[in-house]
Amino acid sequence: MAQLPRAGRGAEPAVHFNHALLLRARLELDLTQEQVAASIGVDVRTYRRYESGAVNDPRLGFSVRSPSRRRILERLGAELGLAEADLLVGEAGGAPAAEGAAASGAGEAPAGAGEAPAGAGEAPAGAGEAAAGVEAPARAGEAAAGVEAPARAGQAPSGAAEAQAPSGAAAAQAPPVAPAAAQAPPVAPAAPQGAAPAWRPLHAHTLQRARHFVGRGEILGRLAAWAAASPPSPPVIALLGVGGAGKTSIAERLLQGLGDAPRPGGVLVWSFYDDPRTEAFLDQAAAYFAPGAGAAAPRAPAAPGEQLARLKEALGQGPPHLLVLDGLETVQAEGGAGRAHGELHDALLRRLLCAIAAGLGGARALVTSRFELADLAAWADGGLATIRPEPLGERDAASLLRRWGIRGDGEALRALFEQTGGHALSVAVVGSYVGAFLGGDAARLSAAGAAHLAEAERDDVLARRLSSVLSAYARALPPGERDLLARLSVFPGGAGEAALLQLIRAGGEIAGAMAGWGAAELARGLARLERLGLVFAARQGELCTSTHPFVRQHFKSLLGVPPDRIHAAGSAAPPPRLDEAPRRAPRERRAVDAYEAIVAELLGAGRAGEAYEIYAFGLGGFAHLGLQLGDMARGARILRAFAGGDDPRGMPASLPARVRASLAYDAGLYAGALGDLAFACACYAAHNEIAGALADPAPLATGLRTLAYTERLRGRLTEARRLLERASEVDRRGATSGVRAADSGQAVRIAALLAAVLHDLGEVDAAGEHFARVRELGDAPVARRALWEAEHDLALGRRGRAREATERNIAECRRRGWEGHVAHGHTLLGLALLDGGEGEGGVAQAEAHLVEARRWASATGEVEVALRCHELAARLALAAGRPDEGARQALEGLHVAETCGFGPFRARLAVVAARCALARGAGEAASAAALAGAAVAWAGEDAWARADALHWAGVARAAAARGVARAAAARGVARAAAARGGELARGRELLAEAAALRERLRHPEAGASRAALAQLG
């Protein structure tokens, strides 16, 4: 295929469709317009718009964003022997549009263009052909705002439509439509003079375009102004409402107004309806927005741990970038089982949206969802605005119904409006149904049908009413089209022509009423469903068709065949081999995708046991998917599929209890690695609930220990201690009851973690005793056990001992393939070098350790290691005399710790940020005091974090007092003495408490606190 203009950096000249070349080619081959139209699968009126040049927008030229246009270009090239590059010419190329091809409004379909058959149940005369007498808007781009059932979603944003006005008598019969300037999509203001537009929008997915669009002018005007504002206020806008309320259509209408022309900032459009994989979104966003996007040599895909960092860095550089995220509810929780209603499943996506809401350069995000954005509640007063599209009013609904070709007086239209409640999608579907199958006569909607709609008021009004209309549609559609729509509904991201033909070739119940169809019949069926507003072209550059989630849900219920059989037949994937384990777990992304798809199909078919075999042995479980591939988001998604939602206690009851417990445990491991500590705790609690009923106490002891580890990361040290004491009791009871032989390994792990918790609580002697007990049990400390003891030694000033033990530990962990522990060890060695005051040589060595640690953080995105890297990087920058860089690293880590709930890290990073502020000069003393003061509160039960926070808060207060004194002397203000005295008094209190606590802890810097206190007198 020829290279078409695409999104990315670098302005590209507008192109036009070379209609003169198309005309010459057809005449040379002695073909009629009807023959060419049939050969490429469109109706003759659509073809005539290409040959006449009416598809060229006078202002923007010919946009190729629409998948339907790309499909037509491909087929024209194949059928007529034309190079696709020749069909697209620059501004000067191509003849002007032929006279008489008048399209009202920027090359769009002229008034009277018919889009739906007039007769009830009548099939179109030709592929895509529309009957006369159906009213259409003067502008083909005038799809009804707020209607999420467009027939041509995916068309070019210029509003150019593929429909052609009927000719002759048909055109005469079509009732005229007055121009409605208010219906044109709002065009964002041009870039300021001097700006250098460099970005073309990237539509990773095509949002479904409303077939006809009315109203919503106020919302669209607000969004257009917001998209052009600098800086954006607020940075995040959420369109919230029930399904079918018009959220996607409004977003798509905004994008029409923005157009495809180069802009000062990028525009990325992503639909989670089409692809709910958050890691795929982050990868695409990082590749697009990061430097080099759109270049001849695209930047390599980011590793899982680099995706968010690369994306945030690019967005924070200042350009007015826009992200349009559709269908966010597919990656939000419905509430319960440790998750709030509307909470995002993926911690990385949560951190991205929180960063944008807090202010990230000129970046802004438009989100559509059925759920509140619970994670952004803290920014509701400034960083987030919510817009809730109201149901269509009676006037707009009547206008929309008429655009679908409905005839009738005001009373008849009012009755239809009342039956739908103004629900945008319901109005559109009723209009399409009456126009297509009842000849446009509103009165023909039977009393029985009206009564059935009214009956829905007893339940969920909007959903039930829409379901009633869709049921009528299912009865009226020809069997082949009904079965086609039902099979399309199996594929959330849409299905291509090849996949649908595979279903047809499979025959039997897989093909259903489509059996015997060929490519031409399939094309006609898709064209008719598209005209009726039931399907739309779903992807860029691919022959792919999808449908609205509401429509998908209804027609999927009509399959009569297990969905997994349809999906497997359409994907042409070989049936999963469950009789033997693979020789090695896959590493290549496509293979891992295939395994995940098999797991989903097996779960959908109720074959949970086989799905577990694929996950545990085919994908290798957490050991491979998490620790080797770092694909934490995928692992979390797979485990959520096993649970059937957000409750880890919902693992399939058909699985043995031990397997259900292990799945809940793995879910906790993925959540913890992603930094979702609260949900990780919920998963471990679910595991422990199941494990408590097992005869073997070992799983319960392990679960209690792991839960304690996570509670320690949250800063809940007393709870962690309680859990470990219970774990120790469970382990001893199992050993003495004869259920199993004594497991010294379990006892060692419990004792080592308890020692670390006691150290954090400030019980230094008790911690030392427990570390000694670990050795008495015959354990040669390795992995975390050795790391915790080394941290204990380093905190007490025993740097040489800590370094020697950590170097041995790193070598052993590397030999065993435990790279996460290796990374932790490198951060510890880096801190030991900095604490040792070894000058430039120590800084250089510490930087080398930081590089090593970041390898793992970049590969996996494990948040605990990433926070350790932020702390080390900030300390390094401070030691090297780069306080601005140190503050940036510390504050970035602080944001992550706050978002993910890592309490002690939050305090430690705030202290480093305060030290960097002090290093920048006396003018930053107040800022340093605020940061260190917050760190005192955030330290919680962590005695070591509290001691350091108290010290630096006191130092900062003293510096602030000196600043107040200097300012007072310069201005001659006597009353400033009182303020200075207050700062000094508070500084003395903080330093006195720090000195006492450090003394009790035997902190090596206790002398520094005493000295600072003495200086204050």
Side-chain angles (χ1 to χ4, degrees), residues 67-68 70-72 74-75 495-498 538-545:
S68 62
R70 289 182 178 271
R71 179 168 63 239
I72 289 173
E74 291 172 355
R75 290 178 173 173
E497 181 181 17
R539 295 183 197 157
Q540 291 286 324
E542 299 181 40
L543 308 182
C544 185
T545 305

Side-chain angles (χ1 to χ4, degrees), residues 371-647:
F371 302 155
E372 298 279 355
L373 304 189
D375 301 291
L376 272 62
W379 288 275
D381 293 333
L384 168 69
T386 297
I387 298 175
R388 302 176 188 276
E390 296 290 334
L392 294 176
E394 182 177 344
R395 182 175 178 179
D396 283 339
S399 175
L400 176 57
L401 290 168
R402 287 196 173 95
R403 289 165 189 259
W404 278 104
I406 307 303
R407 302 187 304 276
D409 57 21
E411 286 301 319
L413 294 180
R414 183 177 299 111
L416 290 181
F417 164 72
E418 292 174 352
Q419 290 163 16
T420 61
H423 181 240
L425 180 57
S426 297
V427 175
V429 173
V430 165
S432 173
Y433 172 70
V434 174
F437 296 103
L438 303 181
D441 186 355
R444 291 185 60 187
L445 188 63
S446 67
H452 188 52
L453 286 173
E455 181 184 350
E457 294 180 5
R458 291 201 292 264
D459 197 348
D460 184 335
V461 178
L462 298 178
R464 288 286 301 278
R465 285 176 171 175
L466 178 57
S467 180
S468 298
V469 180
L470 293 174
S471 295
Y473 238 128
R475 291 189 295 270
L477 283 171
E481 292 173 13
R482 181 180 61 246
D483 283 1
L484 172 57
L485 186 51
R487 279 145 184 78
L488 270 173
S489 300
V490 173
F491 303 92
E497 181 181 17
L500 295 173
L501 286 173
Q502 283 175 196
L503 296 180
I504 293 170
R505 286 193 291 268
E509 60 182 358
I510 299 295
M514 297 188 296
W517 278 17
E521 289 83 1
L522 177 62
R524 283 195 291 271
L526 289 172
R528 176 169 163 79
L529 292 175
E530 188 177 4
R531 279 200 316 280
L532 295 176
L534 296 174
V535 303
F536 66 100
R539 295 183 197 157
Q540 291 286 324
E542 299 181 40
L543 308 182
C544 185
T545 305
S546 189
T547 188
H548 187 281
F550 247 131
V551 178
R552 183 185 311 145
Q553 180 180 0
H554 182 87
F555 278 87
K556 187 176 179 180
S557 67
L558 306 179
L559 269 175
V561 184
D564 65 299
R565 292 189 58 198
I566 299 293
H567 196 282
S571 64
R577 287 288 304 275
L578 304 177
D579 56 341
E580 61 181 22
R583 302 185 67 173
R584 61 175 60 88
R587 302 188 69 89
E588 197 267 331
R589 180 175 294 186
R590 177 175 292 183
V592 178
D593 286 344
Y595 273 92
E596 182 182 359
I598 292 172
V599 170
E601 290 171 13
L602 291 171
L603 287 172
R607 298 157 64 184
E610 294 165 292
Y612 173 75
E613 295 292 321
I614 292 293
Y615 165 72
F617 302 110
L619 285 170
F622 182 80
H624 180 75
L625 200 56
L627 295 181
Q628 296 297 318
L629 301 186
D631 211 344
M632 307 296 182
R634 186 193 302 271
R637 184 172 58 249
I638 291 174
L639 270 296
R640 195 160 55 247
F642 270 99
D646 299 310
D647 190 347

Side-chain angles (χ1 to χ4, degrees), residues 256-277:
Q256 285 189 57
L258 296 179
D260 281 337
R263 296 171 48 79
V267 178
L268 175 63
V269 183
W270 186 275
S271 171
F272 287 103
Y273 292 130
D274 286 347
D275 190 345
R277 299 175 303 152

Side-chain angles (χ1 to χ4, degrees), residues 279-295:
E279 72 275 16
F281 157 69
L282 291 170
D283 201 31
Q284 176 70 82
Y288 173 62
F289 287 114

Side-chain angles (χ1 to χ4, degrees), residues 895-938:
H895 171 75
V896 174
E898 183 176 4
T899 303
C900 297
F902 284 75
F905 274 107
R906 190 181 183 190
R908 283 154 51 180
L909 287 159
V911 165
V912 181
R915 293 176 61 185
C916 291
L918 288 171
R920 288 200 296 265
E924 298 290 328
S927 174
L931 282 165
V936 173
W938 293 336

